[in-house]
Each structure stands twice: as structure tokens, then as C-alpha cells.
Amino acid sequence: MPRFRLSYLPVTLARLARFALFVMAMLCASRPGSAQDTPLISGGVGFQTSTNGGNTKYQPIIEPLLAAPIGPRVLVESRAAILETWAPRTDGGSGYDHTYFGALTYLQGDVTLTPHVTLVGGSFLIPFGTYNERLSPIWISNFQSGPLISPLGLMSTGTGVGGMLRGSAVSHPKYSIDYAAYFSASSDNEQFNSDRSFGGRADLYLPKPRLELGLSYGRLLQDTHENFYGAHLWWEPKDTGFRLRSEFARGHHAQGYWVEADYRMQAFGGPDSVIGRFEPVFRMQQTFRRDTIVSDGLPLVNTQRADFGLDYNLPHNTRIITSYSRQFSSTGDRNIWETGIVYRFLFPAWKGRSK
Amino acid sequence: MNLKYLLSAVLLVVAAFASSKAAPRIRPVPQAEAQNAQNATKKQAPATQGGTHEDEGQRIFDQNCSRCHTAPDGFSSRISGTVVRHMRVRASLSQHDEQELLRFLNP
């Protein structure tokens, strides 16, 4: 994932300690506006394994999310990723090598300005396409690994440091339009690293056919200025377990698409039956390199990949996520196996009583 | 040593989860169940003011929350407002949608 960076353990622990202090301070500053506005802790904890081209790794991971309202108009929210990756040693020795990673994914303040405008400030997920903002949490995504084109439009890090205006422009029973527009400054801070850029996204949603169409744009404003364009189409027919999601993105040096179809087998005894908890998933994706300048995180050569997944939705917010992928490219074809289990948690940040 | 911190974090999460058990919990109505309930209501009697709000809240829930993820099994009513405020930003809800969704989660 583009926003993940390896760092040394002592430095990381110091940062985590600072983050813990910040969280404590934020919770103390939180002033719930009503009985329902208690700060919450949510997120996912899981264990994942993957074998990519014969290389296996094991990864325990936790992604906590904190949301704390401050008064009736302000919400502070943050998500972090803490994980350890274990892999068999490659130097011929026995045992495992392991690397630790822990960092904030985003830390933002949301201020409600008007019924249709929210101002977001701080470190935020860049609103380009759908994967970064909506599908990247481990408790939401159907596959362990993101689409090949997901780095496009995310300006290297996936996060911006600056401001964003977003909201619902129109919300009507027959259609709705929402938008997000941001500006990010360049930041070398290791925890809040970002490139200077601007961009945004607009979505049109039609409730009757349950169709969503969206367009994204981003422009990198440092070094070689580059434009990124994106489009997505989601279709989720009513009263079925079927979902179709697709996205196209084009950058200065590469472009590509992914199409994902999944079906919750709720027709067989309902979504909570033994069979109804199964969720077969298929994703097709292709990337095309426009030139040989590699600066966007996409494969070095044209690549095709088919992902076949089978997820199982256990009770109590737990999912088993498995997949087999076959990747084709001129540098060599490979098999990718992924298995994992994820538990999603959601609870108040402290104990209290309802008013 | 690293695993120790990870284990501590997991234990913290589990402990906090256990401590929140006592609070009243909201269980978002599954889509099919809610649809059946709505159909039954329409057959039996005209929609009341409360029913209209519920329909509107269900619509907003389906259109905005369920589009990306399944509803969690349940959560404390004390955080329903925070959940909705988070969703307002993440799903770009209008203020009206936010209020209807909160009403839907706290009927």
C-alpha cells in the first residue's frame, strides 16, 4: 500500500507513544453534544497470509479507528495501521525475518460549515476513485490486496496534508450528487508525508437502479507536474446479494482498470444461513504502461490479473477472506494465494450511561 | 518484543469491547428484513409520520452505508451519533440525511 513506510522500531514506538498521548488528550477534550455522541473506537484486527510467486509471508495486523466529537460541529477522527510481517529467511538459514510497521493512516478534523459543506483539515485520505477512501480498511475489502491501479491519483502516499471541502450537493429520492475537493501541501514529516497536489471527485447516485457513477481528477504540483483522471461505476441491484464495482484510472505514465463482482449467497436460506454467509468474489484487472518512466507504483510492464475469492461472513463481525490470483505479464506469470481472518470491532471509547 | 505490543493492543481492544457490553445496543435492521417489514406496513395501514421517517432512514442507510460495507452486528446506542457523524463525512451525507439516519438508528 502506498502510504505504508518501514521505520525503525524505537522511533516508531516513540511516535506511537506520542499518538497515545494525543488520543488521550483528544478524548479529554471531547465534549459530546448529545447522549449518542460518545467517542468511539472502531476498526479491524486480523491475521493474514499470502504466497506471491512462491514467497510466503504472515501478517498480524490491527487497524484502529478513533472518532471523537467536539461540540455539535467538530469531529476529530484518525485511523492507524500496526502490523508485523513475518517471512521465511531468504539467506538459507532457518527461522523467519520480520519487519514491524506502525503509522497513522490519517488524522483529520471535520467541521460542519453548512448542511451541504464540511471542511476537513489535517492529514486526510485523498479522494480519488473509490478504493482509497471506501474500500481500503481491512474490515471492508473483499480481497486482501488492493487493485493494481490503486496508486494512481494518490500522489505517492495516499494522504494529503491540507484542507478539503466535501459534502452532498443534492440529495433527492431519485438522485444524489456528492463531491470532494482538496488541496494538499508538500510535507516531509515522516508521519504525515504528502506531495503538493490538488484534486477531487464527484459522484452521481441513482437509487432506483442503484447505480453510482463518479469522476475523479488530481494534479501533482511538484517536480514533474502530472494529471490523473479516474472514473468509477458501481451497480448494486436491490434485494440481491450481487454487487458490481469497477474503476478506471489514467496517469501520465500508466493506466488501468479493475472490475469486481461479488455475490452474497443469501438466496440460499437468507444472509445468515450457513450457505448464505458465503461470498464468492471475482476481480479482473489490467494495467497498461504508457511509457517506461516508472514513478507511479504500477507494474513495470503491461499486466493482467484475475482474482478468484471466496469469503465467509461469520457471526459477530468476523470474516474469512481467501483468494487465488493468476497474474500474467511479460516478466513472468505468477500465482498469488491469500488467506486471512478479520474481526471488526466498534464500541464506545469509555464506559458511561445513556441519558 | 514487537509482538508484545501487538498483543497488548489486542487485549486492550478486547477489554474495552467487554466493558461496553452493558450499554444498550443497536442492531441495524438487515436489508431483507427491513424490506419485508416495510411491505407489511404498507399492506396493513397508511404510513404514519414515524413510519415515513423509518423509510427515509432505511433508504439513506441502504444508499450510503450499505453501498460499501455490511452493517455491523450491533453497537451501543451511546455512539450512534458519533457513527452517523463519521458517516456524514465518509459518505458525504447532507445534514438532513444525517438527522434521518440518526433517527433510524434511534427510533
Side-chain angles (χ1 to χ4, degrees):
Chain A
M1 298 173 90
R3 57 182 172 280
F4 286 178
R5 285 175 212 86
L6 290 173
S7 53
Y8 294 107
L9 180 63
V11 180
T12 308
L13 288 178
R15 286 197 192 103
L16 283 175
R18 284 203 297 272
F19 175 62
L21 282 173
F22 166 78
V23 168
M24 296 297 289
M26 199 164 69
L27 291 175
C28 292
S30 177
R31 293 284 181 272
S34 74
Q36 290 92 30
D37 286 350
T38 302
L40 65 83
I41 292 175
S42 181
V45 58
F47 183 81
Q48 304 174 332
T49 71
S50 68
T51 302
N52 188 335
N55 301 312
T56 300
K57 64 178 182 182
Y58 307 93
Q59 198 173 66
I61 180 172
I62 181 167
E63 282 189 1
L65 183 151
L66 173 76
I70 301 175
R73 288 182 175 272
V74 178
L75 177 73
V76 178
E77 55 179 318
S78 180
R79 196 172 90 205
I82 303 165
L83 59 96
E84 184 101 19
T85 303
W86 299 76
R89 288 177 62 177
T90 53
D91 58 3
S94 61
Y96 292 83
D97 285 327
H98 62 100
T99 55
Y100 168 81
F101 173 83
L104 290 178
T105 308
Y106 68 85
L107 169 60
Q108 66 184 52
D110 313 321
V111 183
T112 305
L113 296 180
T114 77
H116 295 278
V117 181
T118 300
L119 172 66
V120 177
S123 168
F124 52 82
L125 295 174
I126 288 178
F128 186 94
T130 57
Y131 181 76
N132 194 37
E133 277 199 316
R134 292 160 65 173
L135 302 179
S136 61
I138 58 168
W139 64 94
I140 291 180
S141 54
N142 286 328
F143 288 102
Q144 201 182 111
S145 53
L148 294 171
I149 63 164
S150 58
L152 285 180
L154 299 188
M155 313 303 168
S156 308
T157 63
T159 53
V161 175
M164 171 165 56
L165 291 175
R166 64 185 304 153
S168 168
V170 181
S171 180
H172 188 272
K174 291 185 177 176
Y175 63 92
S176 62
I177 298 172
D178 61 66
Y179 66 93
Y182 81 95
F183 177 83
S184 169
S186 173
S187 169
D188 291 331
N189 182 297
E190 189 156 351
Q191 200 63 232
F192 302 112
N193 194 301
S194 71
D195 287 348
R196 191 165 187 264
S197 65
F198 78 92
R201 186 188 62 225
D203 303 314
L204 167 68
Y205 181 66
L206 305 171
K208 195 170 181 183
R210 296 213 167 201
L211 195 68
E212 176 184 334
L213 302 157
L215 297 172
S216 305
Y217 172 74
R219 182 168 175 79
L220 184 64
L221 296 172
Q222 66 183 55
D223 303 325
T224 306
H225 291 200
E226 297 177 14
N227 292 316
F228 297 91
Y229 307 93
H232 69 268
L233 185 150
W234 284 22
W235 180 47
E236 301 180 351
K238 195 175 183 182
D239 299 333
T240 72
F242 178 75
R243 290 188 296 197
L244 181 74
R245 295 161 168 170
S246 64
E247 194 172 313
F248 167 80
R250 180 185 174 91
H252 202 70
H253 306 295
Q255 61 186 4
Y257 73 87
W258 58 268
V259 181
E260 179 181 312
D262 78 271
Y263 177 66
R264 177 80 179 255
M265 299 176 69
Q266 61 190 34
F268 302 90
D272 295 330
S273 67
V274 174
I275 302 295
R277 292 181 183 277
F278 278 103
E279 195 171 352
V281 197
F282 174 71
R283 182 172 66 188
M284 181 66 209
Q285 43 185 337
Q286 282 188 285
T287 63
F288 305 95
R289 191 140 283 288
R290 299 177 66 197
D291 58 37
T292 55
I293 302 170
V294 179
S295 62
D296 46 28
L298 265 66
L300 309 178
V301 296
N302 293 354
T303 300
Q304 295 83 44
R305 182 164 154 179
D307 306 285
F308 304 88
L310 183 63
D311 300 342
Y312 193 76
N313 298 277
L314 291 161
H316 307 298
N317 303 316
T318 306
R319 288 184 95 196
I320 295 172
I321 297 171
T322 63
S323 67
Y324 162 75
S325 307
R326 179 72 177 166
Q327 182 167 304
F328 305 92
S329 71
S330 58
T331 55
D333 302 342
R334 60 173 57 190
N335 296 318
I336 302 162
W337 297 88
E338 294 176 334
T339 309
I341 184 166
V342 176
Y343 168 67
R344 183 202 176 165
F345 50 88
L346 173 61
F347 49 80
W350 62 65
K351 199 167 181 175
R353 63 178 65 173
S354 301
K355 290 180 184 174
Chain B
M1 189 170 89
N2 303 339
L3 276 178
K4 195 167 74 179
Y5 288 98
L6 190 66
L7 190 62
S8 304
V10 172
L11 286 175
L12 183 69
V13 165
V14 172
F17 177 71
S19 72
S20 67
K21 280 276 186 182
R25 295 176 74 76
I26 291 172
R27 188 184 189 285
V29 185
Q31 187 179 315
E33 194 180 310
Q35 190 63 40
N36 292 340
Q38 282 174 27
N39 291 342
T41 306
K42 282 171 188 167
K43 282 174 192 169
Q44 288 168 9
T48 61
Q49 184 64 26
T52 306
H53 281 309
E54 191 173 326
D55 292 350
E56 182 76 346
Q58 178 74 52
R59 178 186 70 81
I60 292 162
F61 185 84
D62 291 344
Q63 288 181 15
N64 297 282
C65 310
S66 300
R67 227 189 299 173
C68 295
H69 59 83
T70 54
D73 272 359
F75 52 85
S76 167
S77 60
R78 291 188 291 114
I79 58 172
S80 56
T82 311
V83 168
V84 170
R85 288 171 71 166
H86 169 73
M87 283 306 298
R88 175 188 173 127
V89 179
R90 196 53 66 209
S92 294
L93 300 180
S94 69
Q95 191 175 43
H96 169 262
D97 290 352
E98 181 189 8
Q99 289 165 351
E100 290 296 333
L101 187 58
L102 183 59
R103 197 173 284 128
F104 172 68
L105 294 176
N106 290 285

